[in-house]
């Protein structure tokens, strides 16, 4: 005998409660962006796990030459050194003397960078200028863990140097253009863009902001803040809005996980799936609405497995009964 779930759904006005967040948490100012730095260096002090060939010989020879020690490239054969690529991100407004975290990765045949030390390496921007120098001991993570088959072995040819780079030159950041600034949303959305503009205009009681598109809002700087831009920006950052987002259900079939946001509604339907017959009619069930959340709770109460629930949600989506985007991973 099939188990039967009967939903009687009353047509009511749904109120969606979304998080109130600061503009600072969902957007940034145009011109205030990270920049990527890179360089090629040498890690020394390896315990026989280095390149062991001639790949890094030219760099080592030049280094010795700068120290006044003439040596031929052919004479340099070391298993204790490794040629590496060094990369870092420099956030906006960082000044000379501040520090950055860096990542190093082997370019040659080194087996491990563990316990090695990166020798001073200039880090270049996309324009070819040096903006920082990196140096320091390389960390490849904690000790090997062999007690669980679910843990991945450490990847020892990639390492990290916390605060390993020293900024030598500031990258200019310009966020003002024609006495205005532009706010860029991290997740472009038409409704959110309009709400941000409305919040700014309401705060200053002036029509300063205009949503240009789903991603950007242009804001005119009032005369009172032309010589105090930081205060103006801080006021904007602290304004609170309710960001909008499309309803979405994310399904991970491998782990049996279903993630969804808000009360995603379901239309009337009747579905026979395995031992279950799901029937949502124009009504309610125990005073609850026909939503994904309530459907999952009811199915779990009847003993449905994660695979059953995922299968039912997928079939409902195919039939157009779920008012949301469904993404299967």
């Amino acid at each position: 005998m099939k188990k039967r779930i009967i939903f009687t759904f009353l047509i009511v006005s749904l109120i969606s409660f979304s998080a109130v967040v600061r503009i600072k948490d969902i957007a940034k100012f145009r011109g205030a962006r990270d920049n990527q730095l890179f360089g090629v260096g040498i890690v020394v002090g390896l315990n026989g796990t280095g390149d062991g060939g001639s790949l890094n010989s030219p760099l080592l020879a030049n280094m010795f030459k700068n120290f006044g020690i003439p040596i031929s490239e052919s004479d340099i054969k070391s298993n204790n050194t490794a040629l590496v690529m060094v990369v870092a991100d420099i956030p906006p407004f960082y000044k000379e003397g501040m520090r950055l975290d860096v990542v190093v990765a082997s370019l040659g045949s080194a087996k491990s960078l563990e316990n090695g030390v990166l020798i001073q390496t200039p880090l270049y921007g996309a324009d070819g200028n040096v903006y920082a120098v990196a140096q320091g001991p390389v960390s490849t993570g904690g000790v090997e863990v062999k007690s669980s088959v679910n843990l991945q072995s450490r990847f020892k040819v990639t390492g990290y140097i916390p605060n390993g780079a020293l900024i030598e030159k500031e990258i200019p950041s310009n966020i003002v253009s024609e006495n205005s600034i532009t706010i860029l949303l991290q997740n472009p959305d038409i409704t959110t863009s309009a709400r941000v503009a409305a919040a700014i205009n309401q705060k200053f009681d002036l029509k300063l902001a205009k949503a240009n598109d789903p991603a950007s809002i242009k804001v005119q700087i009032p005369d009172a803040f032309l010589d105090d831009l930081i205060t103006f920006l801080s006021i904007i950052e602290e304004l609170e809005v309710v960001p909008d987002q499309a309803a979405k259900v994310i399904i991970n079939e491998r782990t049996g996980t279903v993630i969804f946001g808000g009360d995603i509604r379901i239309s009337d339907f009747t579905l026979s799936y395995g031992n279950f017959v799901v029937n949502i009619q124009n009504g309610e069930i125990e005073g609850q609405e026909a939503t994904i959340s309530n459907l999952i709770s009811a199915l779990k109460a009847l003993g449905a497995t994660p695979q059953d629930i995922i299968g039912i949600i997928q079939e409902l989506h195919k039939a157009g009964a779920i008012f949301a985007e469904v993404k299967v991973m």
Side-chain angles (χ1 to χ4, degrees):
M1 180 177 179
K2 294 187 176 181
K3 298 177 182 177
R4 189 173 184 84
I5 311 170
I6 300 178
F7 291 79
T8 53
F9 177 57
L10 291 176
I11 300 176
V12 296
S13 175
L14 292 181
I15 301 176
S16 178
F17 295 94
S18 300
V20 178
V21 301
R22 299 177 302 172
I23 292 177
K24 182 176 185 176
D25 299 323
I26 62 172
K28 61 183 179 181
F29 298 109
R30 173 174 284 170
R33 48 160 286 182
D34 291 1
N35 283 273
Q36 296 174 326
L37 305 179
F38 67 97
V40 176
I42 293 178
V43 172
V44 300
L46 304 176
N47 188 19
T49 60
D51 292 335
S54 59
L55 181 61
N56 52 23
S57 297
L59 282 178
L60 287 172
N62 288 334
M63 187 180 302
F64 283 122
K65 182 179 179 180
N66 291 334
F67 292 142
I69 305 174
I71 189 170
S72 171
E73 294 180 14
S74 58
D75 294 333
I76 303 176
K77 301 289 183 181
S78 174
N79 291 323
N80 297 334
T81 61
L83 190 67
V84 295
M85 176 66 73
V86 185
V87 296
D89 282 349
I90 178 170
F93 312 118
Y94 266 47
K95 310 295 184 182
E96 293 89 343
M98 299 178 74
R99 289 188 170 272
L100 306 170
D101 296 338
V102 299
V103 176
V104 297
S106 173
L107 287 172
S109 58
K111 296 179 177 62
S112 173
L113 301 178
E114 190 172 19
N115 298 323
V117 177
L118 176 70
I119 299 301
Q120 189 178 86
T121 303
L123 300 181
Y124 299 85
D127 57 2
N129 293 322
V130 175
Y131 290 97
V133 291
Q135 180 172 282
V138 178
S139 172
T140 57
V143 297
E144 286 283 8
V145 178
K146 300 180 180 179
S147 59
S148 173
V149 295
N150 295 323
L151 298 178
Q152 181 176 327
S153 299
R154 278 188 301 148
F155 201 57
K156 296 185 179 181
V157 292
T158 300
Y160 307 88
I161 309 178
N163 292 324
L166 188 66
I167 297 176
E168 298 290 340
K169 182 180 179 181
E170 177 186 355
I171 297 181
S173 298
N174 184 19
I175 62 176
V176 178
S177 175
E178 299 177 351
N179 288 338
S180 67
I181 54 114
T182 299
I183 299 172
L184 302 178
L185 296 179
Q186 296 174 4
N187 296 303
D189 181 87
I190 292 175
T191 303
T192 304
S193 183
R195 289 176 181 175
V196 169
I200 295 171
N201 292 335
Q202 182 179 7
K203 173 65 178 179
F204 293 97
D205 198 21
L206 292 170
K207 192 171 178 56
L208 302 176
K210 179 183 178 181
N212 291 333
D213 52 53
S216 63
I217 303 96
K218 186 175 182 180
V219 185
Q220 198 70 27
I221 303 173
D223 293 340
F225 291 97
L226 288 176
D227 61 348
D228 192 5
L229 178 63
I230 296 301
T231 298
F232 180 63
L233 297 182
S234 69
I235 294 174
I236 289 179
E237 284 188 332
E238 291 299 318
L239 292 179
E240 294 183 333
V241 296
V242 178
D244 195 42
Q245 61 181 19
K248 183 180 293 186
V249 179
I250 300 176
I251 297 173
N252 189 321
E253 291 186 303
R254 183 175 62 84
T255 61
T257 303
V258 179
I259 302 173
F260 55 92
D263 292 330
I264 297 175
R265 291 181 288 176
I266 308 172
S267 66
D268 295 350
F269 70 89
T270 299
L271 171 69
S272 176
Y273 183 90
N275 293 326
F276 300 95
V277 173
V278 182
N279 183 19
I280 292 183
Q281 296 178 346
N282 190 27
E284 62 180 23
I285 178 172
E286 296 179 357
Q288 296 184 1
E289 302 160 341
T291 65
I292 286 286
S293 177
N294 294 334
L295 173 63
I296 291 176
S297 297
L299 289 171
K300 289 176 64 177
L302 291 174
T305 66
Q307 288 71 29
D308 292 331
I309 295 172
I310 289 173
I312 290 173
I313 291 176
Q314 288 177 318
E315 293 302 321
L316 293 179
H317 178 247
K318 291 178 183 177
I322 296 178
F323 302 115
E325 175 188 355
V326 176
K327 182 178 181 181
V328 181
M329 301 175 60

